[in-house]
PDB file of all heavy atoms in Angstrom:
ATOM      1  N   THR Q 280     -13.335  -0.871   6.329  1.00  0.00           N
ATOM      2  CA  THR Q 280     -12.962   0.515   6.069  1.00  0.00           C
ATOM      3  C   THR Q 280     -13.466   1.465   7.149  1.00  0.00           C
ATOM      4  O   THR Q 280     -12.772   2.401   7.551  1.00  0.00           O
ATOM      5  CB  THR Q 280     -13.525   0.959   4.700  1.00  0.00           C
ATOM      6  OG1 THR Q 280     -13.021   0.079   3.695  1.00  0.00           O
ATOM      7  CG2 THR Q 280     -13.107   2.374   4.375  1.00  0.00           C
ATOM      8  N   GLU Q 281     -14.659   1.220   7.656  1.00  0.00           N
ATOM      9  CA  GLU Q 281     -15.237   2.125   8.653  1.00  0.00           C
ATOM     10  C   GLU Q 281     -14.463   2.110   9.972  1.00  0.00           C
ATOM     11  O   GLU Q 281     -14.609   3.015  10.795  1.00  0.00           O
ATOM     12  CB  GLU Q 281     -16.696   1.753   8.917  1.00  0.00           C
ATOM     13  CG  GLU Q 281     -16.887   0.374   9.526  1.00  0.00           C
ATOM     14  CD  GLU Q 281     -18.356   0.011   9.677  1.00  0.00           C
ATOM     15  OE1 GLU Q 281     -19.197   0.702   9.087  1.00  0.00           O
ATOM     16  OE2 GLU Q 281     -18.638  -0.955  10.405  1.00  0.00           O
ATOM     17  N   ASN Q 282     -13.614   1.084  10.167  1.00  0.00           N
ATOM     18  CA  ASN Q 282     -12.803   1.003  11.378  1.00  0.00           C
ATOM     19  C   ASN Q 282     -11.376   1.512  11.175  1.00  0.00           C
ATOM     20  O   ASN Q 282     -10.549   1.422  12.078  1.00  0.00           O
ATOM     21  CB  ASN Q 282     -12.737  -0.443  11.874  1.00  0.00           C
ATOM     22  CG  ASN Q 282     -14.108  -1.044  12.091  1.00  0.00           C
ATOM     23  OD1 ASN Q 282     -14.466  -2.032  11.468  1.00  0.00           O
ATOM     24  ND2 ASN Q 282     -14.902  -0.424  12.955  1.00  0.00           N
ATOM     25  N   LEU Q 283     -11.108   2.059  10.007  1.00  0.00           N
ATOM     26  CA  LEU Q 283      -9.783   2.575   9.697  1.00  0.00           C
ATOM     27  C   LEU Q 283      -9.688   4.013  10.223  1.00  0.00           C
ATOM     28  O   LEU Q 283      -9.879   4.983   9.498  1.00  0.00           O
ATOM     29  CB  LEU Q 283      -9.534   2.533   8.193  1.00  0.00           C
ATOM     30  CG  LEU Q 283      -8.100   2.666   7.707  1.00  0.00           C
ATOM     31  CD1 LEU Q 283      -7.240   1.526   8.217  1.00  0.00           C
ATOM     32  CD2 LEU Q 283      -8.065   2.694   6.180  1.00  0.00           C
ATOM     33  N   ASN Q 284      -9.379   4.149  11.518  1.00  0.00           N
ATOM     34  CA  ASN Q 284      -9.356   5.459  12.165  1.00  0.00           C
ATOM     35  C   ASN Q 284      -8.138   6.269  11.742  1.00  0.00           C
ATOM     36  O   ASN Q 284      -7.156   5.713  11.214  1.00  0.00           O
ATOM     37  CB  ASN Q 284      -9.392   5.292  13.692  1.00  0.00           C
ATOM     38  CG  ASN Q 284      -8.199   4.506  14.205  1.00  0.00           C
ATOM     39  OD1 ASN Q 284      -7.051   4.948  14.115  1.00  0.00           O
ATOM     40  ND2 ASN Q 284      -8.449   3.316  14.763  1.00  0.00           N
ATOM     41  N   PRO Q 285      -8.144   7.600  11.971  1.00  0.00           N
ATOM     42  CA  PRO Q 285      -7.022   8.457  11.547  1.00  0.00           C
ATOM     43  C   PRO Q 285      -5.673   8.020  12.111  1.00  0.00           C
ATOM     44  O   PRO Q 285      -4.658   8.092  11.408  1.00  0.00           O
ATOM     45  CB  PRO Q 285      -7.428   9.836  12.089  1.00  0.00           C
ATOM     46  CG  PRO Q 285      -8.922   9.792  12.126  1.00  0.00           C
ATOM     47  CD  PRO Q 285      -9.260   8.386  12.524  1.00  0.00           C
ATOM     48  N   ASN Q 286      -5.638   7.571  13.358  1.00  0.00           N
ATOM     49  CA  ASN Q 286      -4.374   7.137  13.941  1.00  0.00           C
ATOM     50  C   ASN Q 286      -3.819   5.926  13.187  1.00  0.00           C
ATOM     51  O   ASN Q 286      -2.623   5.849  12.892  1.00  0.00           O
ATOM     52  CB  ASN Q 286      -4.562   6.778  15.413  1.00  0.00           C
ATOM     53  CG  ASN Q 286      -3.256   6.391  16.089  1.00  0.00           C
ATOM     54  OD1 ASN Q 286      -2.289   7.139  16.054  1.00  0.00           O
ATOM     55  ND2 ASN Q 286      -3.225   5.214  16.709  1.00  0.00           N
ATOM     56  N   LEU Q 287      -4.704   4.992  12.869  1.00  0.00           N
ATOM     57  CA  LEU Q 287      -4.295   3.801  12.137  1.00  0.00           C
ATOM     58  C   LEU Q 287      -3.865   4.152  10.714  1.00  0.00           C
ATOM     59  O   LEU Q 287      -2.895   3.594  10.187  1.00  0.00           O
ATOM     60  CB  LEU Q 287      -5.445   2.796  12.101  1.00  0.00           C
ATOM     61  CG  LEU Q 287      -5.111   1.358  11.723  1.00  0.00           C
ATOM     62  CD1 LEU Q 287      -3.950   0.825  12.565  1.00  0.00           C
ATOM     63  CD2 LEU Q 287      -6.337   0.481  11.884  1.00  0.00           C
ATOM     64  N   GLN Q 288      -4.556   5.092  10.102  1.00  0.00           N
ATOM     65  CA  GLN Q 288      -4.169   5.535   8.768  1.00  0.00           C
ATOM     66  C   GLN Q 288      -2.772   6.135   8.772  1.00  0.00           C
ATOM     67  O   GLN Q 288      -1.970   5.901   7.863  1.00  0.00           O
ATOM     68  CB  GLN Q 288      -5.179   6.548   8.234  1.00  0.00           C
ATOM     69  CG  GLN Q 288      -6.504   5.919   7.803  1.00  0.00           C
ATOM     70  CD  GLN Q 288      -7.458   6.942   7.228  1.00  0.00           C
ATOM     71  OE1 GLN Q 288      -7.654   8.013   7.802  1.00  0.00           O
ATOM     72  NE2 GLN Q 288      -8.052   6.626   6.095  1.00  0.00           N
ATOM     73  N   THR Q 289      -2.467   6.911   9.813  1.00  0.00           N
ATOM     74  CA  THR Q 289      -1.133   7.521   9.927  1.00  0.00           C
ATOM     75  C   THR Q 289      -0.057   6.449  10.039  1.00  0.00           C
ATOM     76  O   THR Q 289       0.994   6.513   9.391  1.00  0.00           O
ATOM     77  CB  THR Q 289      -1.071   8.441  11.158  1.00  0.00           C
ATOM     78  OG1 THR Q 289      -2.044   9.485  11.021  1.00  0.00           O
ATOM     79  CG2 THR Q 289       0.318   9.050  11.313  1.00  0.00           C
ATOM     80  N   ILE Q 290      -0.329   5.419  10.849  1.00  0.00           N
ATOM     81  CA  ILE Q 290       0.631   4.326  11.015  1.00  0.00           C
ATOM     82  C   ILE Q 290       0.848   3.593   9.693  1.00  0.00           C
ATOM     83  O   ILE Q 290       1.988   3.334   9.286  1.00  0.00           O
ATOM     84  CB  ILE Q 290       0.143   3.340  12.090  1.00  0.00           C
ATOM     85  CG1 ILE Q 290       0.100   4.016  13.462  1.00  0.00           C
ATOM     86  CG2 ILE Q 290       1.047   2.110  12.148  1.00  0.00           C
ATOM     87  CD1 ILE Q 290      -0.533   3.164  14.551  1.00  0.00           C
ATOM     88  N   LEU Q 291      -0.228   3.279   9.006  1.00  0.00           N
ATOM     89  CA  LEU Q 291      -0.126   2.540   7.751  1.00  0.00           C
ATOM     90  C   LEU Q 291       0.572   3.352   6.674  1.00  0.00           C
ATOM     91  O   LEU Q 291       1.346   2.815   5.872  1.00  0.00           O
ATOM     92  CB  LEU Q 291      -1.516   2.107   7.280  1.00  0.00           C
ATOM     93  CG  LEU Q 291      -2.190   1.029   8.126  1.00  0.00           C
ATOM     94  CD1 LEU Q 291      -3.622   0.797   7.661  1.00  0.00           C
ATOM     95  CD2 LEU Q 291      -1.411  -0.277   8.064  1.00  0.00           C
ATOM     96  N   ASN Q 292       0.304   4.660   6.632  1.00  0.00           N
ATOM     97  CA  ASN Q 292       0.989   5.507   5.663  1.00  0.00           C
ATOM     98  C   ASN Q 292       2.497   5.506   5.903  1.00  0.00           C
ATOM     99  O   ASN Q 292       3.296   5.594   4.972  1.00  0.00           O
ATOM    100  CB  ASN Q 292       0.469   6.937   5.735  1.00  0.00           C
ATOM    101  CG  ASN Q 292      -0.881   7.093   5.048  1.00  0.00           C
ATOM    102  OD1 ASN Q 292      -1.255   6.272   4.216  1.00  0.00           O
ATOM    103  ND2 ASN Q 292      -1.608   8.133   5.388  1.00  0.00           N
ATOM    104  N   ARG Q 293       2.873   5.394   7.164  1.00  0.00           N
ATOM    105  CA  ARG Q 293       4.296   5.424   7.508  1.00  0.00           C
ATOM    106  C   ARG Q 293       4.987   4.112   7.153  1.00  0.00           C
ATOM    107  O   ARG Q 293       6.121   4.113   6.674  1.00  0.00           O
ATOM    108  CB  ARG Q 293       4.473   5.721   8.998  1.00  0.00           C
ATOM    109  CG  ARG Q 293       5.934   5.931   9.405  1.00  0.00           C
ATOM    110  CD  ARG Q 293       6.059   6.490  10.810  1.00  0.00           C
ATOM    111  NE  ARG Q 293       5.589   5.554  11.818  1.00  0.00           N
ATOM    112  CZ  ARG Q 293       4.511   5.727  12.574  1.00  0.00           C
ATOM    113  NH1 ARG Q 293       3.772   6.810  12.422  1.00  0.00           N
ATOM    114  NH2 ARG Q 293       4.151   4.829  13.471  1.00  0.00           N
ATOM    115  N   ILE Q 294       4.298   2.984   7.375  1.00  0.00           N
ATOM    116  CA  ILE Q 294       4.964   1.691   7.163  1.00  0.00           C
ATOM    117  C   ILE Q 294       4.591   1.031   5.843  1.00  0.00           C
ATOM    118  O   ILE Q 294       5.277   0.125   5.391  1.00  0.00           O
ATOM    119  CB  ILE Q 294       4.652   0.709   8.317  1.00  0.00           C
ATOM    120  CG1 ILE Q 294       3.156   0.362   8.343  1.00  0.00           C
ATOM    121  CG2 ILE Q 294       5.090   1.272   9.655  1.00  0.00           C
ATOM    122  CD1 ILE Q 294       2.796  -0.694   9.372  1.00  0.00           C
ATOM    123  N   GLN Q 295       3.516   1.482   5.193  1.00  0.00           N
ATOM    124  CA  GLN Q 295       3.078   0.875   3.942  1.00  0.00           C
ATOM    125  C   GLN Q 295       3.292   1.799   2.742  1.00  0.00           C
ATOM    126  O   GLN Q 295       3.364   1.339   1.611  1.00  0.00           O
ATOM    127  CB  GLN Q 295       1.592   0.532   4.020  1.00  0.00           C
ATOM    128  CG  GLN Q 295       1.251  -0.621   4.931  1.00  0.00           C
ATOM    129  CD  GLN Q 295       1.665  -1.947   4.333  1.00  0.00           C
ATOM    130  OE1 GLN Q 295       2.438  -2.670   4.907  1.00  0.00           O
ATOM    131  NE2 GLN Q 295       1.159  -2.271   3.171  1.00  0.00           N
ATOM    132  N   GLY Q 296       3.329   3.095   2.994  1.00  0.00           N
ATOM    133  CA  GLY Q 296       3.353   4.033   1.891  1.00  0.00           C
ATOM    134  C   GLY Q 296       1.954   4.514   1.582  1.00  0.00           C
ATOM    135  O   GLY Q 296       1.004   3.753   1.574  1.00  0.00           O
ATOM    136  N   SER Q 297       1.804   5.798   1.361  1.00  0.00           N
ATOM    137  CA  SER Q 297       0.485   6.365   1.093  1.00  0.00           C
ATOM    138  C   SER Q 297       0.009   5.965  -0.293  1.00  0.00           C
ATOM    139  O   SER Q 297       0.775   5.959  -1.256  1.00  0.00           O
ATOM    140  CB  SER Q 297       0.536   7.896   1.198  1.00  0.00           C
ATOM    141  OG  SER Q 297      -0.682   8.464   0.778  1.00  0.00           O
ATOM    142  N   ILE Q 298      -1.279   5.646  -0.416  1.00  0.00           N
ATOM    143  CA  ILE Q 298      -1.824   5.249  -1.717  1.00  0.00           C
ATOM    144  C   ILE Q 298      -1.899   6.430  -2.675  1.00  0.00           C
ATOM    145  O   ILE Q 298      -2.094   6.233  -3.874  1.00  0.00           O
ATOM    146  CB  ILE Q 298      -3.233   4.639  -1.569  1.00  0.00           C
ATOM    147  CG1 ILE Q 298      -4.198   5.648  -0.945  1.00  0.00           C
ATOM    148  CG2 ILE Q 298      -3.191   3.373  -0.753  1.00  0.00           C
ATOM    149  CD1 ILE Q 298      -5.628   5.159  -0.931  1.00  0.00           C
ATOM    150  N   ILE Q 299      -1.717   7.645  -2.184  1.00  0.00           N
ATOM    151  CA  ILE Q 299      -1.805   8.805  -3.071  1.00  0.00           C
ATOM    152  C   ILE Q 299      -0.431   9.225  -3.577  1.00  0.00           C
ATOM    153  O   ILE Q 299      -0.324  10.152  -4.363  1.00  0.00           O
ATOM    154  CB  ILE Q 299      -2.497   9.997  -2.365  1.00  0.00           C
ATOM    155  CG1 ILE Q 299      -1.685  10.460  -1.148  1.00  0.00           C
ATOM    156  CG2 ILE Q 299      -3.898   9.637  -1.957  1.00  0.00           C
ATOM    157  CD1 ILE Q 299      -2.253  11.728  -0.504  1.00  0.00           C
ATOM    158  N   THR Q 300       0.620   8.564  -3.136  1.00  0.00           N
ATOM    159  CA  THR Q 300       1.959   8.899  -3.626  1.00  0.00           C
ATOM    160  C   THR Q 300       2.270   8.076  -4.862  1.00  0.00           C
ATOM    161  O   THR Q 300       1.725   7.007  -5.091  1.00  0.00           O
ATOM    162  CB  THR Q 300       3.033   8.606  -2.563  1.00  0.00           C
ATOM    163  OG1 THR Q 300       3.120   7.203  -2.369  1.00  0.00           O
ATOM    164  CG2 THR Q 300       2.701   9.294  -1.256  1.00  0.00           C
ATOM    165  N   LYS Q 301       3.203   8.587  -5.669  1.00  0.00           N
ATOM    166  CA  LYS Q 301       3.579   7.893  -6.890  1.00  0.00           C
ATOM    167  C   LYS Q 301       4.425   6.651  -6.590  1.00  0.00           C
ATOM    168  O   LYS Q 301       4.621   5.820  -7.458  1.00  0.00           O
ATOM    169  CB  LYS Q 301       4.351   8.844  -7.803  1.00  0.00           C
ATOM    170  CG  LYS Q 301       3.499   9.993  -8.352  1.00  0.00           C
ATOM    171  CD  LYS Q 301       4.297  10.873  -9.295  1.00  0.00           C
ATOM    172  CE  LYS Q 301       3.435  12.002  -9.857  1.00  0.00           C
ATOM    173  NZ  LYS Q 301       4.189  12.871 -10.771  1.00  0.00           N
ATOM    174  N   LYS Q 302       4.926   6.553  -5.372  1.00  0.00           N
ATOM    175  CA  LYS Q 302       5.792   5.437  -5.017  1.00  0.00           C
ATOM    176  C   LYS Q 302       5.019   4.259  -4.421  1.00  0.00           C
ATOM    177  O   LYS Q 302       5.617   3.319  -3.935  1.00  0.00           O
ATOM    178  CB  LYS Q 302       6.861   5.906  -4.029  1.00  0.00           C
ATOM    179  CG  LYS Q 302       7.839   6.914  -4.625  1.00  0.00           C
ATOM    180  CD  LYS Q 302       8.916   7.288  -3.617  1.00  0.00           C
ATOM    181  CE  LYS Q 302       9.907   8.270  -4.224  1.00  0.00           C
ATOM    182  NZ  LYS Q 302      10.962   8.661  -3.262  1.00  0.00           N
ATOM    183  N   ALA Q 303       3.709   4.348  -4.457  1.00  0.00           N
ATOM    184  CA  ALA Q 303       2.910   3.252  -3.904  1.00  0.00           C
ATOM    185  C   ALA Q 303       3.226   1.960  -4.636  1.00  0.00           C
ATOM    186  O   ALA Q 303       3.389   1.940  -5.852  1.00  0.00           O
ATOM    187  CB  ALA Q 303       1.429   3.582  -4.010  1.00  0.00           C
ATOM    188  N   GLU Q 304       3.315   0.862  -3.895  1.00  0.00           N
ATOM    189  CA  GLU Q 304       3.625  -0.417  -4.509  1.00  0.00           C
ATOM    190  C   GLU Q 304       2.452  -0.918  -5.352  1.00  0.00           C
ATOM    191  O   GLU Q 304       1.298  -0.607  -5.062  1.00  0.00           O
ATOM    192  CB  GLU Q 304       3.960  -1.446  -3.429  1.00  0.00           C
ATOM    193  CG  GLU Q 304       5.276  -1.187  -2.717  1.00  0.00           C
ATOM    194  CD  GLU Q 304       5.677  -2.342  -1.818  1.00  0.00           C
ATOM    195  OE1 GLU Q 304       4.995  -3.391  -1.876  1.00  0.00           O
ATOM    196  OE2 GLU Q 304       6.637  -2.187  -1.070  1.00  0.00           O
ATOM    197  N   PRO Q 305       2.741  -1.684  -6.389  1.00  0.00           N
ATOM    198  CA  PRO Q 305       1.659  -2.245  -7.211  1.00  0.00           C
ATOM    199  C   PRO Q 305       0.842  -3.241  -6.406  1.00  0.00           C
ATOM    200  O   PRO Q 305       1.337  -3.858  -5.464  1.00  0.00           O
ATOM    201  CB  PRO Q 305       2.415  -2.936  -8.352  1.00  0.00           C
ATOM    202  CG  PRO Q 305       3.760  -3.251  -7.772  1.00  0.00           C
ATOM    203  CD  PRO Q 305       4.073  -2.121  -6.845  1.00  0.00           C
ATOM    204  N   LEU Q 306      -0.409  -3.409  -6.792  1.00  0.00           N
ATOM    205  CA  LEU Q 306      -1.278  -4.370  -6.132  1.00  0.00           C
ATOM    206  C   LEU Q 306      -1.099  -5.743  -6.776  1.00  0.00           C
ATOM    207  O   LEU Q 306      -1.113  -5.858  -8.000  1.00  0.00           O
ATOM    208  CB  LEU Q 306      -2.738  -3.927  -6.241  1.00  0.00           C
ATOM    209  CG  LEU Q 306      -3.095  -2.647  -5.491  1.00  0.00           C
ATOM    210  CD1 LEU Q 306      -4.531  -2.230  -5.809  1.00  0.00           C
ATOM    211  CD2 LEU Q 306      -2.933  -2.844  -3.995  1.00  0.00           C
ATOM    212  N   PRO Q 307      -0.930  -6.788  -5.973  1.00  0.00           N
ATOM    213  CA  PRO Q 307      -0.636  -8.127  -6.517  1.00  0.00           C
ATOM    214  C   PRO Q 307      -1.634  -8.614  -7.555  1.00  0.00           C
ATOM    215  O   PRO Q 307      -1.244  -9.173  -8.582  1.00  0.00           O
ATOM    216  CB  PRO Q 307      -0.645  -9.012  -5.268  1.00  0.00           C
ATOM    217  CG  PRO Q 307      -0.317  -8.098  -4.141  1.00  0.00           C
ATOM    218  CD  PRO Q 307      -0.944  -6.782  -4.501  1.00  0.00           C
ATOM    219  N   HIS Q 308      -2.932  -8.407  -7.311  1.00  0.00           N
ATOM    220  CA  HIS Q 308      -3.927  -8.976  -8.220  1.00  0.00           C
ATOM    221  C   HIS Q 308      -4.069  -8.179  -9.511  1.00  0.00           C
ATOM    222  O   HIS Q 308      -4.654  -8.667 -10.476  1.00  0.00           O
ATOM    223  CB  HIS Q 308      -5.286  -9.085  -7.517  1.00  0.00           C
ATOM    224  CG  HIS Q 308      -5.904  -7.776  -7.156  1.00  0.00           C
ATOM    225  ND1 HIS Q 308      -5.446  -6.999  -6.114  1.00  0.00           N
ATOM    226  CD2 HIS Q 308      -6.950  -7.105  -7.698  1.00  0.00           C
ATOM    227  CE1 HIS Q 308      -6.193  -5.913  -6.023  1.00  0.00           C
ATOM    228  NE2 HIS Q 308      -7.107  -5.960  -6.968  1.00  0.00           N
ATOM    229  N   ARG Q 309      -3.521  -6.962  -9.534  1.00  0.00           N
ATOM    230  CA  ARG Q 309      -3.603  -6.153 -10.749  1.00  0.00           C
ATOM    231  C   ARG Q 309      -2.298  -6.176 -11.542  1.00  0.00           C
ATOM    232  O   ARG Q 309      -2.319  -6.135 -12.769  1.00  0.00           O
ATOM    233  CB  ARG Q 309      -3.982  -4.714 -10.391  1.00  0.00           C
ATOM    234  CG  ARG Q 309      -5.398  -4.590  -9.849  1.00  0.00           C
ATOM    235  CD  ARG Q 309      -5.750  -3.159  -9.541  1.00  0.00           C
ATOM    236  NE  ARG Q 309      -7.113  -3.049  -9.015  1.00  0.00           N
ATOM    237  CZ  ARG Q 309      -7.628  -1.927  -8.522  1.00  0.00           C
ATOM    238  NH1 ARG Q 309      -6.903  -0.825  -8.485  1.00  0.00           N
ATOM    239  NH2 ARG Q 309      -8.859  -1.914  -8.062  1.00  0.00           N
ATOM    240  N   GLN Q 310      -1.170  -6.196 -10.850  1.00  0.00           N
ATOM    241  CA  GLN Q 310       0.137  -6.208 -11.507  1.00  0.00           C
ATOM    242  C   GLN Q 310       1.034  -7.256 -10.846  1.00  0.00           C
ATOM    243  O   GLN Q 310       1.998  -6.926 -10.164  1.00  0.00           O
ATOM    244  CB  GLN Q 310       0.781  -4.825 -11.413  1.00  0.00           C
ATOM    245  CG  GLN Q 310       0.003  -3.722 -12.143  1.00  0.00           C
ATOM    246  CD  GLN Q 310       0.626  -2.355 -11.910  1.00  0.00           C
ATOM    247  OE1 GLN Q 310       0.606  -1.817 -10.807  1.00  0.00           O
ATOM    248  NE2 GLN Q 310       1.206  -1.799 -12.960  1.00  0.00           N
ATOM    249  N   PRO Q 311       0.724  -8.526 -11.036  1.00  0.00           N
ATOM    250  CA  PRO Q 311       1.474  -9.584 -10.340  1.00  0.00           C
ATOM    251  C   PRO Q 311       2.956  -9.622 -10.685  1.00  0.00           C
ATOM    252  O   PRO Q 311       3.792  -9.855  -9.806  1.00  0.00           O
ATOM    253  CB  PRO Q 311       0.761 -10.870 -10.769  1.00  0.00           C
ATOM    254  CG  PRO Q 311       0.045 -10.510 -12.033  1.00  0.00           C
ATOM    255  CD  PRO Q 311      -0.343  -9.089 -11.886  1.00  0.00           C
ATOM    256  N   PHE Q 312       3.307  -9.394 -11.959  1.00  0.00           N
ATOM    257  CA  PHE Q 312       4.715  -9.468 -12.343  1.00  0.00           C
ATOM    258  C   PHE Q 312       5.497  -8.286 -11.766  1.00  0.00           C
ATOM    259  O   PHE Q 312       6.622  -8.449 -11.279  1.00  0.00           O
ATOM    260  CB  PHE Q 312       4.851  -9.489 -13.864  1.00  0.00           C
ATOM    261  CG  PHE Q 312       4.210 -10.694 -14.511  1.00  0.00           C
ATOM    262  CD1 PHE Q 312       3.634 -10.613 -15.763  1.00  0.00           C
ATOM    263  CD2 PHE Q 312       4.183 -11.923 -13.857  1.00  0.00           C
ATOM    264  CE1 PHE Q 312       3.051 -11.720 -16.361  1.00  0.00           C
ATOM    265  CE2 PHE Q 312       3.600 -13.042 -14.440  1.00  0.00           C
ATOM    266  CZ  PHE Q 312       3.028 -12.934 -15.695  1.00  0.00           C
ATOM    267  N   LYS Q 313       4.910  -7.105 -11.811  1.00  0.00           N
ATOM    268  CA  LYS Q 313       5.577  -5.937 -11.248  1.00  0.00           C
ATOM    269  C   LYS Q 313       5.702  -6.076  -9.732  1.00  0.00           C
ATOM    270  O   LYS Q 313       6.715  -5.705  -9.135  1.00  0.00           O
ATOM    271  CB  LYS Q 313       4.805  -4.664 -11.599  1.00  0.00           C
ATOM    272  CG  LYS Q 313       5.551  -3.390 -11.217  1.00  0.00           C
ATOM    273  CD  LYS Q 313       4.849  -2.155 -11.750  1.00  0.00           C
ATOM    274  CE  LYS Q 313       5.646  -0.891 -11.402  1.00  0.00           C
ATOM    275  NZ  LYS Q 313       4.975   0.331 -11.927  1.00  0.00           N
ATOM    276  N   THR Q 314       4.671  -6.640  -9.104  1.00  0.00           N
ATOM    277  CA  THR Q 314       4.712  -6.867  -7.665  1.00  0.00           C
ATOM    278  C   THR Q 314       5.857  -7.799  -7.304  1.00  0.00           C
ATOM    279  O   THR Q 314       6.598  -7.573  -6.346  1.00  0.00           O
ATOM    280  CB  THR Q 314       3.383  -7.471  -7.176  1.00  0.00           C
ATOM    281  OG1 THR Q 314       2.319  -6.558  -7.460  1.00  0.00           O
ATOM    282  CG2 THR Q 314       3.425  -7.741  -5.684  1.00  0.00           C
ATOM    283  N   ALA Q 315       6.019  -8.871  -8.082  1.00  0.00           N
ATOM    284  CA  ALA Q 315       7.092  -9.830  -7.825  1.00  0.00           C
ATOM    285  C   ALA Q 315       8.455  -9.162  -7.941  1.00  0.00           C
ATOM    286  O   ALA Q 315       9.355  -9.404  -7.120  1.00  0.00           O
ATOM    287  CB  ALA Q 315       6.986 -11.003  -8.799  1.00  0.00           C
ATOM    288  N   ALA Q 316       8.628  -8.301  -8.951  1.00  0.00           N
ATOM    289  CA  ALA Q 316       9.906  -7.608  -9.134  1.00  0.00           C
ATOM    290  C   ALA Q 316      10.199  -6.668  -7.969  1.00  0.00           C
ATOM    291  O   ALA Q 316      11.329  -6.626  -7.449  1.00  0.00           O
ATOM    292  CB  ALA Q 316       9.889  -6.832 -10.455  1.00  0.00           C
ATOM    293  N   VAL Q 317       9.180  -5.938  -7.536  1.00  0.00           N
ATOM    294  CA  VAL Q 317       9.355  -4.994  -6.429  1.00  0.00           C
ATOM    295  C   VAL Q 317       9.697  -5.734  -5.132  1.00  0.00           C
ATOM    296  O   VAL Q 317      10.582  -5.328  -4.381  1.00  0.00           O
ATOM    297  CB  VAL Q 317       8.080  -4.144  -6.250  1.00  0.00           C
ATOM    298  CG1 VAL Q 317       8.121  -3.375  -4.922  1.00  0.00           C
ATOM    299  CG2 VAL Q 317       7.920  -3.170  -7.412  1.00  0.00           C
ATOM    300  N   ARG Q 318       9.012  -6.843  -4.894  1.00  0.00           N
ATOM    301  CA  ARG Q 318       9.233  -7.579  -3.642  1.00  0.00           C
ATOM    302  C   ARG Q 318      10.609  -8.263  -3.625  1.00  0.00           C
ATOM    303  O   ARG Q 318      11.249  -8.330  -2.578  1.00  0.00           O
ATOM    304  CB  ARG Q 318       8.110  -8.595  -3.432  1.00  0.00           C
ATOM    305  CG  ARG Q 318       6.776  -7.923  -3.160  1.00  0.00           C
ATOM    306  CD  ARG Q 318       5.737  -8.916  -2.706  1.00  0.00           C
ATOM    307  NE  ARG Q 318       4.462  -8.260  -2.452  1.00  0.00           N
ATOM    308  CZ  ARG Q 318       3.386  -8.864  -1.975  1.00  0.00           C
ATOM    309  NH1 ARG Q 318       3.443 -10.156  -1.691  1.00  0.00           N
ATOM    310  NH2 ARG Q 318       2.269  -8.206  -1.777  1.00  0.00           N
ATOM    311  N   PHE Q 319      11.039  -8.754  -4.774  1.00  0.00           N
ATOM    312  CA  PHE Q 319      12.373  -9.358  -4.790  1.00  0.00           C
ATOM    313  C   PHE Q 319      13.437  -8.289  -4.576  1.00  0.00           C
ATOM    314  O   PHE Q 319      14.447  -8.529  -3.901  1.00  0.00           O
ATOM    315  CB  PHE Q 319      12.634 -10.095  -6.097  1.00  0.00           C
ATOM    316  CG  PHE Q 319      13.938 -10.845  -6.091  1.00  0.00           C
ATOM    317  CD1 PHE Q 319      14.033 -12.097  -5.490  1.00  0.00           C
ATOM    318  CD2 PHE Q 319      15.077 -10.290  -6.651  1.00  0.00           C
ATOM    319  CE1 PHE Q 319      15.243 -12.779  -5.455  1.00  0.00           C
ATOM    320  CE2 PHE Q 319      16.288 -10.969  -6.618  1.00  0.00           C
ATOM    321  CZ  PHE Q 319      16.370 -12.215  -6.018  1.00  0.00           C
TER     322      PHE Q 319
END
């Protein structure tokens, strides 16, 4: 985490989706079935 610089955070938000948005994808280990549906 300490190496997650602002530039890298900007890139990840663009290609991964921001964790503070409602559209963030579910986490596999917490919602495996929902994750599978989203990925398919």
Side-chain angles (χ1 to χ4, degrees):
T280 302
E281 64 184 14
N282 305 119
L283 196 62
N284 60 65
N286 183 54
L287 196 51
Q288 286 182 313
T289 299
I290 295 173
L291 291 173
N292 283 340
R293 187 169 66 247
I294 65 175
Q295 289 287 121
S297 173
I298 60 173
I299 62 174
T300 68
K301 293 182 179 180
K302 294 183 179 180
E304 291 189 8
L306 294 174
H308 66 286
R309 292 182 180 172
Q310 297 175 292
F312 297 147
K313 188 172 182 180
T314 299
V317 168
R318 292 190 180 184
F319 186 81

